[in-house]
Amino acid sequence: MSVDIRPALAVIGGSGFYDFFDNEATSVEVDTPYGKPSAPIAIGEVEGRSVAFLPRHGKQHEYAPHSLPYQANMWALRSIGVRRIFAPCAVGSLRADWGPGTVAVPDQLVDRTSGRPQTYFEGSGVHVSFADPYCDELRAAAAKSATDVLPMKPAGTMVVVQGPRFSTRAESRWFAAQGWELVNMTGHPEAVLARELEMCYAAVALVTDLDAGLEEGAGVHAVDVFAEFKKNLGPFKELIRRSVSAVTGTETCDRCRVHAGVSLPFELP
């Protein structure tokens, strides 16, 4: 199979989502000023389109959320030609009516992480617009790609916690009291690094559990999270494939081009 080795579209797979292509794929080793990404980038074909795939946590889940090479991952994708990214991930639900198996396409993000490198512009005066952290065009493509198997929520706020531990009951209840719907460990700084590199980015979240504050006597356990994700992985991958197919453009949308008129300290890859 011959594939375009500079694909415009990419998928970053989350926990349990370590491969994507049913057919042959080309593996590409990429080095960056920030080190190597989580794994070699696979380039394959989805409905006739060349697509890059990167397992966020590595092929064997080698990287925990707080130690991921986020800067290297996003730089590597941009450097091979990627301009639009779908980022499937596992999330906990802060709403009892958004149970396991629900898919949500967040429209807002709240950062509760600490100590993670979250910019390429350290020491410079570059500031990026981030009021709307996700690309509307990609979100629309994902929302209309719902399968009959997985219920779809076309919006929602995702709070990103430091990890690797899960939330306490008090933290979970506090998040829910703010009106936030989802909790995750990897959505930041991934989203803002994509924005700094002027790549369209949309998270697509699969609910694996109800967070600790919603069920007395229950708590979140990693083994259960992975089991729930694995149970829904087939239809979730199909939803991501449909989302890729639904994207009409291959260039960064106008809204995600945030450096117009700004002098950058380096050239984007």
Side-chain angles (χ1 to χ4, degrees):
M1 180 188 66
S2 176
V3 298
D4 183 357
I5 61 171
R6 288 188 62 79
L9 293 167
V11 173
I12 301 177
S15 297
F17 198 146
Y18 308 123
D19 59 74
F20 186 51
F21 303 111
D22 294 330
N23 47 19
E24 182 184 351
T26 300
S27 181
V28 179
E29 294 274 359
V30 183
D31 206 353
T32 80
Y34 305 93
K36 288 188 175 294
S38 299
I41 298 171
I43 302 176
E45 195 172 280
V46 176
E47 298 294 329
R49 306 183 74 164
S50 183
V51 178
F53 176 76
L54 177 64
R56 181 183 289 114
H57 295 276
K59 289 185 175 180
Q60 305 297 326
H61 207 103
E62 303 97 303
Y63 295 97
H66 66 292
S67 61
L68 274 163
Y70 292 101
Q71 290 169 305
N73 285 351
M74 306 312 285
W75 190 280
L77 290 173
R78 167 90 190 192
S79 72
I80 66 167
V82 170
R83 297 297 181 268
R84 317 198 90 179
I85 299 172
F86 286 107
C89 58
V91 297
S93 173
L94 297 165
R95 293 181 52 149
D97 58 335
W98 290 25
T102 301
V103 173
V105 186
D107 61 333
Q108 279 297 318
L109 176 154
V110 176
D111 174 29
R112 293 288 301 167
T113 67
S114 62
R116 301 181 182 185
Q118 57 181 299
T119 182
Y120 295 107
F121 300 115
E122 199 70 53
S124 67
V126 178
H127 307 272
V128 298
S129 174
F130 203 56
D132 298 296
Y134 303 112
C135 173
D136 286 341
E137 292 184 14
L138 295 190
R139 288 185 57 250
K144 76 178 185 181
S145 300
T147 70
D148 296 332
V149 179
L150 303 174
M152 169 67 73
K153 305 296 182 182
T157 296
M158 184 166 74
V159 55
V160 184
V161 299
Q162 176 68 0
R165 70 170 177 85
F166 294 111
S167 303
T168 67
R169 294 191 194 284
E171 288 168 336
S172 176
R173 289 169 181 153
W174 174 43
F175 299 155
Q178 307 311 305
W180 306 334
E181 288 87 5
L182 307 166
V183 60
N184 165 265
M185 295 182 188
T186 58
H188 190 277
E190 199 170 88
V192 71
L193 293 174
R195 183 62 56 85
E196 286 195 342
L197 293 179
E198 292 195 329
M199 294 188 290
C200 296
Y201 177 98
V204 186
L206 175 63
V207 173
T208 57
D209 58 274
L210 297 180
D211 215 48
L214 301 189
E215 292 185 305
E216 288 296 336
V220 183
H221 301 279
V223 65
D224 299 325
V225 168
F226 282 105
E228 182 65 30
F229 196 93
K230 183 177 181 180
K231 183 176 76 173
N232 293 300
L233 184 56
F236 191 45
K237 282 186 176 181
E238 176 59 26
L239 189 153
I240 300 301
R241 291 189 187 99
R242 292 187 187 184
S243 301
V244 167
S245 300
V247 176
T248 56
T250 57
E251 296 298 322
T252 305
C253 73
D254 290 343
R255 191 173 194 175
C256 295
R257 295 180 186 271
V258 291
H259 297 312
V262 176
S263 178
L264 300 181
F266 56 80
E267 186 176 343
L268 299 183

